[in-house]
Amino acid sequence: MNRIRSLALLGAATLAAGGLTALAPGIAQAADVNVVRNGGFESGLANWSCSGGSGASVSSPVFAGAGALRAAPAGQDNARCSQTVTVKPNSTYTLSTQVQGSYVYLGATGTGTQDVSTWTPGSGAGWQKLSTTFSTGPNTTQVSVWTHGWYGQTPYVIDEFSVVGPDGGGGTDPGPSIPGAPAGTAVSGQSASALTLSWNAVGGAAGYHVYQDGVRVKSVTDASAQITGLAAATSYSFQVSAYNAAGEGTRSAPVTGTTTGGGPGPGPNPSVPKHALTGYWQNFNNGATVQKLSDVSNEYDIIAVSFADATTTPGAITFNLDSAGLNGYTVPQFKADIAAKKTAGKSVILSIGGEKGTISVNDSASANNLANSAWALMQEYGFNGIDIDLENGLNPTYMTQALRALSAKAGPSMVLTMAPQTIDMQSTQGGYFRTALNVKDILTVVNMQYYNSGAMNGCDGKVYSQGSVDFLTALACIQLEGGLDPSQVGIGVPASPSGAGSGYVSPTIVNNALDCLARGTNCGSFKPSKTYPGLRGAMTWSTNWDAKAGSAWSNAVGPKVHALP
């Protein structure tokens, strides 16, 4: 069918105004089809005939897809375009099309009953839908359907022409199915007046439409586009849809891009230092030093409060301070300590997930629940943002939706971090990696966990075992060369052997890895092909285990991070 889905897909239901109406049990409903061929004009004027050569296939304006019909009345010619369709006797058909222009007519001739027509005087501006119905006679198997303008009037445009009713046996126009929404939409290049977008190619797509702040601004055939003529230091929202002969698919999740120039500095979170140390703070007592937030070393620039709690509402989170386990630490004290850390230039964020985290975001409803509940907690406690530490995988489509919805509420100062496991960042096609690239324009840092891991592939294709400089540098290289900015890559390690089951490395190894990546010095057998002086820094689990070990980790790694070039 040409962009009209068969009602057979509805099973025992039929479309009705305002919803679905169930059929009586045991009564079969014949599937209606669109008996017009090339009703979207994606194949030019194939199957159509226009009087006096008055018709032409155009790519703009279109209602959907990539083509439409434009016809120009001239002299005594009203620019009539028609097609003969095969129908079933004693049947009812709905005839409709989208039109632009004044005095545009739509009708059917040779119905065997009463021929029909309708028209719109219109104003010529915007798309309008014309629709009418006709019934066929007992011996009618073919009907001429047509559209035309009026003498002396300006050209008109039509698109999405359909005649929906029982299949007359003359064949329908199945065409390809409408393509799905593009995934992986990201801002991959920025300047003061232009932004470059990229996305994952969609199977069966003939091309893509790019929307800027809800308005279509470009159509391309490749999975990328440069949008020019933008204002400096300005944020824009973009969506992309795929189209083919069957029509235009659903738009992608919005992605925000900000042009350079005129602003306070690069990136959406100027409060986070260029090189930052991240530490997870434990909201529970597991044998590590029990701390208040005020006890956390000043070496830490980002403090991730661990963890948010799941609720009975899918995707929604809450936070419950473990006052009993934290020696009577009260909520008012906790909130005051967050405010004090922020005054000192630190970011305090809420971590979602952890080893036992059960939060799942697998549809739009749960994505909205996560965004709304996280925003409520940010307002209640003063958190600067959130950390995603879901260790049982995530859905990149709906996690992207949730993070973008939260960013829209919180604004450009929101801090967004991630702590995937090594297996999650081996390929850009993995859910975590795809999510990170999807939200690259609002992402602060990915601190991958280089521990509790087996051997993994490095970016050179060789296998490296945890616990070495090579493991840290060769795996970080995958992220650095896979699309993340160096400022969005950090090295996550345990603060002491007690902080993880395996993978602990001494602060010296961490510092050597930082030097190797940022300066090209102190490398092991693996040496990156280039340096990444913009590397964000390092992360540890946890500030509590660090304190238990006399703050040896933060006292050694913190100064190294802050002294990176």
Side-chain angles (χ1 to χ4, degrees), residues 304-383:
V305 172
S306 310
F307 292 99
D309 297 309
T311 72
T312 56
T313 301
I317 58 172
T318 187
F319 178 74
N320 299 292
L321 186 68
D322 184 12
S323 296
L326 302 181
N327 300 330
Y329 196 19
T330 66
V331 171
Q333 288 176 317
F334 177 70
K335 292 180 178 179
D337 286 348
I338 291 176
K341 284 292 184 183
K342 291 169 65 175
T343 299
K346 313 298 182 181
S347 295
V348 183
I349 61 179
L350 179 60
S351 183
I352 300 171
E355 178 186 1
K356 299 179 181 179
T358 57
I359 294 148
S360 180
V361 179
N362 291 319
D363 54 30
S364 292
S366 56
N368 289 331
N369 292 338
L370 175 57
N372 292 336
S373 58
W375 174 234
L377 292 172
M378 289 174 64
Q379 292 177 296
E380 179 182 357
Y381 289 93
F383 296 121

Side-chain angles (χ1 to χ4, degrees), residues 72-126:
Q76 297 302 308
D77 181 14
N78 62 6
R80 178 184 174 112
C81 295
S82 63
Q83 179 179 149
T84 298
V85 296
T86 302
V87 294
K88 188 175 182 178
N90 295 321
S91 301
T92 300
Y93 292 82
T94 298
L95 170 65
S96 65
T97 190
Q98 296 285 343
V99 305
Q100 276 194 25
S102 300
Y103 301 96
V104 184
Y105 288 73
L106 174 70
T109 302
T111 63
T113 56
Q114 181 176 353
D115 293 346
V116 298
S117 67
T118 185
W119 64 289
T120 175
S123 62

Side-chain angles (χ1 to χ4, degrees), residues 389-409:
D389 183 20
L390 298 173
E391 299 185 5
N392 295 305
L394 53 76
N395 183 306
T397 298
Y398 296 111
M399 182 55 70
T400 297
Q401 178 182 326
L403 296 177
R404 292 212 167 277
L406 178 59
S407 175
K409 298 173 186 292

